[in-house]
Amino acid sequence: MLKAIGASFGIAIGRALVISEEVVEIKESKVVDSEREIARFNNAVEEAMMQLEKINKDVKEKLGSEKAEIFEAHLFMLKDPEFIGSIQKKIASDKFNAEYSLKTVGDETAAIFELMENKYMTERAADIRDVSKRVLNILMGIKIASIAEIQEECILIAKDLTPSDTAQIDKTKVLALVTEIGGKTAHTCIIARSLELPAVVGVGASISKIKDGDLIIVDGEEGLIIINPDEKTLNDYKAKKIEFTESKNQLLKYATMKSNTLDGKAVELAANIGSVEDLESVLKNGAEAIGLFRTEFLYMSKTALPTEEEQFETYKSVLEKMGGKPVIIRTLDIGGDKKLDYLPMKEEMNPFLGYRAIRLCLDRTDIFITQLRALLRASTHGTLKIMFPMISCLQELRMAKKILEQCKNELKSEGVVFDENLQVGIMIEIPSAALISDILAKEVDFFSIGTNDLIQYTTAVDRMNEKISYLYDFYHPGVLRLIKTVIDNGHKAGIMVGMCGEMAGDTKLIPLLLGFGLDELSMSASSILRARKTVTNSNYEDCVKLSVPVLSFGDSDEIKEFLKVSTKA
Ligand code: PEP
Ligand code: MG
């Protein structure tokens, strides 16, 4: 049995599919019969095209054409006579083996594309590397499981899954996720929760004990993985799985209830989404708003920067589907653990402290303006609120607002209508912003506290690092004091204060957060019903009473224990 971090609730029983990141050395060697080698290369290309056509069709059918775009781009590369011709030429003239010729031409072409001024071309470099790898694997007889190609039910075992890997997951095939690295608030876990897939992360090196094809049990609540269980354990977990489904069904009665405490205090229970597809679960679970639309996932599902029109269609669709309920759309928050294959960024020593989110947008105003224009245009289709991520100082906020004003003026002069009263808010996820929240509050319409980052920056604990995950603590008194400061400062200025970090969906903490005075809690859609059960069974006055002594504790274990006893959680 392996014990790690339970990152998404639920129990799964299935066969392990180990996604290996095999790195193979490509050796330079010469061939005698270059014609035969070219034929071998051509066959591999043909096989790769067949694979891609199949994946493209499957992904289009199951996940929609947006997610299939990448495979079309790869097919296009394999049909490019110049690219394929240069490899064939290398085999014919230099008599190098197909693998070496492909690797050399692939790397050279990708490098040239990376240096080009034309953005579209720069963005093709990742496609060339990817498609070359596919053909190389065929030439070398290596079978590497690719997430989009999964045909049978399985539990995915991987070192790490990037958010773009997880975006390709077909929920009818993938039963659960297990990763070697990562913490509770890594974006992989956030997606797992939105897909309602059990997940255990941060398993560490012992993940190698899980072999491809092993029967495993994943308990996403306890963070347990049981490898090749005996019959009794298997039966116990089969029963637990049924119990879990039953208790989930019982929660459904909360889907249509109001989120009022026993003594009548209303709090907004909102959902965090990453795509239009997530709305199905949002509506099923009765969210009252969207508290965070992480737009970077829209960018990650593309092979090039999404155009203004593409973005407009997406935002419009979310707003319309929410039927007038508030929708907070966050501007691009790329960087940290979220990368865009087509937007090469310099390697950084500390990506979470680096060029990300609003910092990137204020530098790449072309990207920012495209998004803001799309948002403004979509604003007439519902109740849109725009939110800027990673604001660390007043200057950044003012610059972002200035660019937004410029976009409004531009649209006005073009005669395009938008919601003139749309609210603008910021995420409070950096301690410096929390500490000047009294000043920031005067210049925005709302705050949303991003505890995922606020915790990592306040406690200096990398949210992705499983080695120190024991220090990543929702209950840290320093973090709780900052949260309380932000809420009070927001309220003094008369603005709404919400929370969209993962902490907002933790039922053990909800009474405390209510007591602190939060107006809105935004979480994975799958957490809403449990949260509503907690809210509707809480007494607001009691929550306030309970929140006062918490601020004088110095130790998070004491706080945990105090809350446990006081709320009988
Ligand atoms: C946060 O930091 O709490 C947050 C909601 O943003 P993200 O998890 O996308 O960084
Ligand atoms: Mg954040």
Side-chain angles (χ1 to χ4, degrees), residues 313-327:
E313 286 302 332
T314 304
Y315 306 147
K316 174 174 165 245
S317 159
V318 172
L319 285 161
E320 283 178 350
K321 288 203 165 90
M322 286 306 287
K325 288 178 182 153
V327 175

Side-chain angles (χ1 to χ4, degrees), residues 81-262:
E82 206 175 318
F83 178 55
I84 298 298
S86 329
I87 300 162
Q88 290 163 335
K89 215 152 104 198
K90 195 157 189 76
I91 303 174
S93 55
D94 300 345
K95 300 218 175 305
F96 281 127
N97 60 336
E99 288 87 341
Y100 183 74
S101 307
L102 165 63
K103 176 90 175 81
T104 322
V105 175
D107 284 350
E108 280 168 8
T109 319
I112 294 169
F113 274 48
E114 264 156 16
L115 289 176
M116 283 184 184
E117 296 239 324
N118 178 326
K119 205 151 50 66
Y120 179 79
M121 291 310 207
T122 336
E123 289 155 2
R124 300 281 69 79
D127 290 334
I128 294 173
R129 292 192 199 281
D130 256 28
V131 84
S132 304
K133 200 163 153 222
R134 176 176 295 277
V135 181
L136 264 178
N137 286 340
I138 297 170
L139 281 167
M140 300 170 81
I142 298 170
K143 281 208 170 76
I144 294 184
S146 135
I147 293 170
E149 297 165 56
I150 292 169
Q151 301 290 340
E152 281 169 27
E153 281 193 351
C154 66
I155 293 176
L156 278 188
I157 316 290
K159 182 175 171 53
D160 187 19
L161 291 166
T162 63
S164 47
D165 284 336
T166 27
Q168 295 176 32
I169 285 176
D170 174 358
K171 247 179 79 173
T172 63
K173 297 288 185 297
V174 176
L175 307 175
L177 309 176
V178 176
T179 63
E180 181 179 337
I181 67 166
K184 230 189 178 84
T185 62
H187 287 93
T188 305
C189 306
I190 291 171
I191 296 183
R193 279 192 283 276
S194 77
L195 291 171
E196 300 189 37
L197 280 181
V200 174
V201 301
V203 180
S206 38
I207 199 164
S208 62
K209 291 189 182 142
I210 311 173
K211 303 285 177 236
D212 207 46
D214 276 348
L215 180 68
I216 58 170
I217 297 170
V218 176
D219 181 336
E221 183 157 14
E222 298 298 326
L224 292 179
I225 301 149
I226 303 164
I227 310 167
N228 295 322
D230 57 38
E231 199 151 326
K232 178 174 178 323
T233 314
L234 190 61
N235 288 335
D236 286 352
Y237 272 91
K238 279 184 182 162
K240 270 194 184 177
K241 194 168 180 270
I242 295 171
E243 238 174 72
F244 179 81
T245 315
E246 278 169 1
S247 68
K248 216 169 126 184
N249 289 341
Q250 276 169 16
L251 283 172
L252 280 175
K253 65 171 187 256
Y254 291 97
T256 48
M257 277 190 196
K258 281 197 173 144
S259 309
N260 287 354
T261 60
L262 291 169

Side-chain angles (χ1 to χ4, degrees), residues 22 58 66 91 103 113-114 130 139 163 194 206 219 230 237 253 278 298 326 330 356 412 418 457 469 531 536 554 561:
E22 228 170 308
D58 285 356
E66 240 182 44
I91 303 174
K103 176 90 175 81
F113 274 48
E114 264 156 16
D130 256 28
L139 281 167
S194 77
S206 38
D219 181 336
D230 57 38
Y237 272 91
K253 65 171 187 256
D278 290 346
L298 163 68
R330 177 173 78 181
R356 65 172 285 206
K412 259 188 213 159
F418 56 87
Y457 297 135
S469 62
T536 52
E561 195 47 40

